[in-house]
Amino acid sequence: LIERVRGEGMIALRNRVIFALLYSSGMRVSELCDLRVAEMKLDERYAVIISKKNRKKRMIFWDKRTATLLEQYLPMRRMYAKSEYLIISADRDPMAMGKRMTTRSVQRFFQCHRDLDSDASPHTCRHGLGMRTVKANIHTRYTQTILGHKNANSSQIYQDLYDVDVVEAYKKVEAIS
């Protein structure tokens, strides 16, 4: 999705940042829209946010690729910003331009950039991070913390979906086919 966003201006960079942050951090869309620039520790690549589900503080992290996009986006964002939020609207309406982007706008934007045969959504990025933690052999308790799940059972689902032993067993079968 990040690669499909064309252009080099503020809007294109903002759109890449949206995809990159959702993918690398596992944030909920509402958490992304509520993220303020001042909350971000850009050099350390993390922010402390209030989880939308359980109202507890949690850390979100992002990868180097996202950090690079943020370094490009933030100077351009300053020229348009009328709020402290990271993700700002580029609406043609002068009253909305530069203000906090709504969760619905992010969801609509996401629909416009996905494949026609794909049912990918912002929440799919969150599930993707959950699956990547399992594939990286991260303990379920850490997955719970990373995703901000209130209940460990929510994180256990990813482990149940991706049983490493079954995958390795299939690879052995595949090797002799």
Side-chain angles (χ1 to χ4, degrees):
L1 288 170
I2 295 168
E3 300 302 322
R4 286 195 198 130
V5 177
R6 301 286 179 235
E8 295 303 320
M10 195 284 290
I11 295 171
L13 277 171
R14 181 211 56 199
N15 294 348
R16 287 187 197 105
V17 166
I18 289 171
F19 285 139
L21 266 174
L22 288 173
Y23 179 78
S24 66
S25 72
M27 295 170 68
R28 295 174 178 92
V29 175
S30 57
E31 294 166 344
L32 174 68
C33 291
D34 286 346
L35 182 61
R36 292 174 171 85
V37 175
E39 296 170 329
M40 303 174 77
K41 308 297 183 214
L42 296 167
D43 292 337
E44 292 89 17
R45 296 194 334 249
Y46 80 91
V48 177
I49 64 171
I50 304 293
S51 174
K52 287 296 186 179
K53 284 284 186 155
N54 59 20
R55 308 298 305 160
K56 290 185 179 181
K57 285 185 179 181
R58 74 177 172 104
M59 291 177 79
I60 54 119
F61 305 91
W62 53 87
D63 57 18
K64 290 178 185 176
R65 180 183 194 177
T66 304
T68 300
L69 289 170
L70 284 166
E71 287 172 11
Q72 297 166 6
Y73 168 69
L74 287 170
M76 285 190 177
R77 179 201 160 278
R78 280 187 208 105
M79 293 187 294
Y80 299 93
K82 294 179 184 170
S83 73
E84 68 273 2
Y85 296 101
L86 175 67
I87 305 300
I88 57 173
S89 174
D91 198 309
R92 290 185 186 111
D93 176 5
M95 297 300 289
M97 177 65 151
K99 294 184 179 176
R100 176 188 175 276
M101 195 166 177
T102 66
T103 56
R104 185 66 191 121
S105 292
V106 172
Q107 290 165 340
R108 276 194 305 262
F109 154 76
F110 206 96
Q111 290 171 336
C112 292
H113 282 81
R114 68 181 187 202
D115 287 335
L116 294 175
D117 61 344
S118 169
D119 61 351
S121 69
H123 210 73
T124 305
C125 294
R126 193 168 155 73
H127 291 310
L129 179 59
M131 290 302 292
R132 291 192 310 276
T133 62
V134 171
K135 289 178 182 179
N137 228 7
I138 305 295
H139 192 280
T140 305
R141 175 71 180 106
Y142 294 134
T143 299
Q144 177 185 0
T145 302
I146 290 168
L147 293 175
H149 287 151
K150 185 176 180 179
N151 188 326
N153 291 337
S154 299
S155 303
Q156 183 63 40
I157 290 168
Y158 299 113
Q159 184 66 46
D160 295 343
L161 288 173
Y162 187 82
D163 188 334
V164 176
D165 294 333
V166 171
V167 172
E168 291 304 314
Y170 181 78
K171 286 180 181 176
K172 289 178 184 176
V173 171
E174 186 179 41
I176 59 172
S177 296

